Amino acid sequence: SRSVQRVTTEGAEWTLTARAVGGSALRWDPVTLPQGFRLWIEVGDATYDMSRERQATLPDGVQRLRVYATWKAPSTTRLLANYPNPFNPETWIPFELTQASDVTIRVYDMGGAVVRTLELGYREPGYYTDHANAAYWDGSNDLGERVGSGTYFYALDAGDAASMRRMVILK
């Protein structure tokens, strides 16, 4: 069965009905979901994690199956390695937030001077790790000029959390 129901951090739920004969096995393909999401199926009194298990046994008769998605925020706020690294001329800077906050990423040169400030604004808890959600830096300074090759540092400021990492531009 397929569903077009939108899955949000609030979760989602589907109810299915199946007729089983002689202890039938219900099998499913591996489930791949965005970070933080899990998909579960309840069969009678048993609950299965659909990303870890691939089948369940159905008792005889008509069975009501409950499939539901859950979401869990990251356990720590983290600044992750940019990608690609080294890069030219652009890179993405992924991060994870445990709580909602205003997010700023600053890029520094080797002397500690701010090269670029990326004001990302208010973000909900979650995983900002793919191209669509990670911070994007085009390799230019705050004046729009391309920066030179070398080592740079980038720092995350999100609520009470702050961390720093290193990246390299190769031209």
Side-chain angles (χ1 to χ4, degrees):
S1 177
R2 290 191 181 264
S3 172
V4 293
Q5 178 180 343
R6 180 176 163 82
V7 178
T8 68
T9 56
E10 302 297 318
E13 184 173 326
W14 302 266
T15 301
L16 307 169
T17 303
R19 181 181 309 265
V21 178
S24 302
L26 173 65
R27 293 183 179 87
W28 53 87
D29 293 330
V31 177
T32 303
L33 298 170
Q35 281 184 299
F37 283 96
R38 297 298 280 267
L39 195 60
W40 307 87
I41 186 167
E42 284 181 359
V43 178
D45 294 334
T47 301
Y48 301 89
D49 180 343
M50 295 180 75
S51 63
R52 294 188 179 172
E53 301 170 71
R54 302 289 182 251
Q55 73 175 31
T57 301
L58 296 177
D60 283 339
V62 176
Q63 302 297 319
R64 181 179 171 274
L65 310 173
R66 177 178 171 247
V67 178
Y68 61 97
T70 59
W71 184 81
K72 183 178 178 187
S75 58
T76 59
T77 294
R78 300 188 309 154
L79 179 61
L80 304 170
N82 68 301
Y83 59 91
N85 189 22
F87 69 95
N88 177 27
E90 59 189 10
T91 190
W92 285 262
I93 302 170
F95 58 96
E96 298 173 352
L97 299 175
T98 59
Q99 60 187 23
S101 59
D102 287 316
V103 177
T104 302
I105 293 180
R106 289 184 182 82
V107 178
Y108 299 90
D109 64 18
M110 287 294 290
V114 175
V115 173
R116 181 75 182 265
T117 301
L118 304 172
E119 295 285 351
L120 304 180
Y122 182 81
R123 299 287 175 101
E124 293 291 335
Y127 302 85
Y128 298 90
T129 55
D130 60 10
H131 275 77
N133 297 307
Y136 169 77
W137 183 42
D138 62 3
S140 64
N141 63 21
D142 281 331
L143 300 174
E145 305 162 330
R146 292 268 182 211
V147 299
S149 293
T151 301
Y152 292 83
F153 297 93
Y154 58 103
L156 171 73
D157 181 18
D160 296 337
S163 57
M164 184 176 278
R165 295 186 72 113
R166 178 179 54 89
M167 65 181 148
V168 176
I169 298 178
L170 287 180
K171 293 188 176 187

